[in-house]
Amino acid sequence: EVQLVESGGGLVQPGRSLRLSCAASGFTFGDYAMHWVRQAPGKGLEWVSGISWNSGGIGYADSVKGRFTISRDNANNFLYLQMNSLRDEDTALYYCAKDTTPGNWNGYMDVWGKGTTVTVFS
Amino acid sequence: DIQMTQSPSSLSASVGDRVTITCRTSQSINNYLNWYQQKPGKAPKLLIYAASSLQSGVPSRFSGSGSGTEFTLTISSLHPEDFATYYCQQSYSTPPYTFGQGTKLEIK
C-alpha cells in the first residue's frame, strides 16, 4: 500500500524552528518528485514547496522562501521540511504529497498523507 | 505568480443535479490545470489532471474542460458522497503551483 506519514509538528513560538518529516512506503520513493502543501485552520490549500526526484529541482511559495528548506533522503525514503523563523501565519496542517509520474515533476499530487499540525503561538 | 479565481465559493445543490465549478487564471496556463476534492478532516483527492484527464478510480460523472485561462469541473449527476470542497490548482511551468480558494458544495 502506498503510504505517506508526516511527523514533527507541534507548538512553537514565533521565530523558532521546526523540522517536519514524511516517511514514504509502498512505492519507489526515489523516482518521484514530492511536495509539501499546507492548510490553515478553516482555510484553503496552499502549495508550500516541491522537490524533484533527484533534488536537482526545488521550488517554494513566496510566503516561505528564505525561511523554509525542503530536502529528501532517497536511501531511507524520507522527505523533510526545515521551517525557520516561524510566524503566526505558518500555523496550519502540513501535508506531504507525491507527484504523479516517475522521473518527472508534474506539479500535481496523487497520494497524500494525513498531515501534521504546526501551531505557532506567542 | 499566477492567480486563481474559483467560482462560486459555495454552492447548494440536490442529489441528481448537474453542477459546474469554474476556475479562471491570471495568465494562460495551456491545460496545466488540476482539480481536487476534499472532505472534512480528510486529505485532498486528485480528481482531474491536465484539465480533462480523469484520475484512475474517479467516477466518470466527474469531467473537466477548458484551456488557456478558463476551466470547468462538471459533476453530471450528484451523488451523496460528492458533497465536499473542490479546489483547482495550476501546475504550469515553474513553481509556485497555486490553488484556487475552493468551492464548498453543500446539500440543498
Side-chain angles (χ1 to χ4, degrees), chain A residues 4-26:
Chain A
L4 299 170
V5 180
E6 302 93 337
S7 61
L11 299 174
V12 63
Q13 292 180 317
R16 303 299 290 265
S17 299
L18 270 181
R19 187 196 200 202
L20 305 184
S21 300
C22 171
S25 60

Side-chain angles (χ1 to χ4, degrees), chain A residues 50-59 72 74 105:
Chain A
I51 185 168
S52 65
W53 64 275
N54 64 353
S55 304
I58 285 176
R72 64 189 299 160
N74 286 348
W105 184 344

Side-chain angles (χ1 to χ4, degrees), chain A residues 31-102:
Chain A
D31 284 352
Y32 290 86
M34 297 292 295
H35 304 270
W36 289 99
V37 176
R38 70 184 180 183
Q39 187 166 34
K43 302 297 184 183
L45 301 171
E46 180 185 16
W47 180 87
V48 172
S49 183
I51 185 168
S52 65
W53 64 275
N54 64 353
S55 304
I58 285 176
Y60 298 98
D62 290 346
S63 57
V64 307
K65 202 174 292 183
R67 300 188 298 122
F68 289 13
T69 302
I70 192 171
S71 62
R72 64 189 299 160
D73 177 355
N74 286 348
N76 293 296
N77 298 341
F78 273 89
L79 176 71
Y80 300 104
L81 187 68
Q82 177 67 42
M83 304 187 297
N84 298 333
S85 303
L86 282 161
R87 304 169 179 168
D88 291 351
E89 55 265 33
D90 296 319
T91 293
L93 180 64
Y94 284 74
Y95 292 105
C96 165
K98 169 187 162 290
D99 207 302
T100 53
T101 307

Side-chain angles (χ1 to χ4, degrees), chain A residues 35 37 39 43-47 58-62 65 95 100 105-110 112-114, chain B residues 1 32 34 36 38 41-46 49-50 55 87 89-91 95-101:
Chain A
H35 304 270
V37 176
Q39 187 166 34
K43 302 297 184 183
L45 301 171
E46 180 185 16
W47 180 87
I58 285 176
Y60 298 98
D62 290 346
K65 202 174 292 183
Y95 292 105
T100 53
W105 184 344
N106 292 323
Y108 53 94
M109 293 72 79
D110 62 352
W112 297 63
K114 289 181 164 55
Chain B
D1 295 354
Y32 292 91
N34 316 297
Y36 298 84
Q38 188 180 33
K42 300 293 187 183
K45 174 186 174 182
L46 179 66
Y49 62 93
Q55 173 68 0
Y87 294 93
Q89 180 227 1
Q90 64 83 15
S91 53
Y97 298 128
T98 39
F99 286 88
Q101 77 274 24

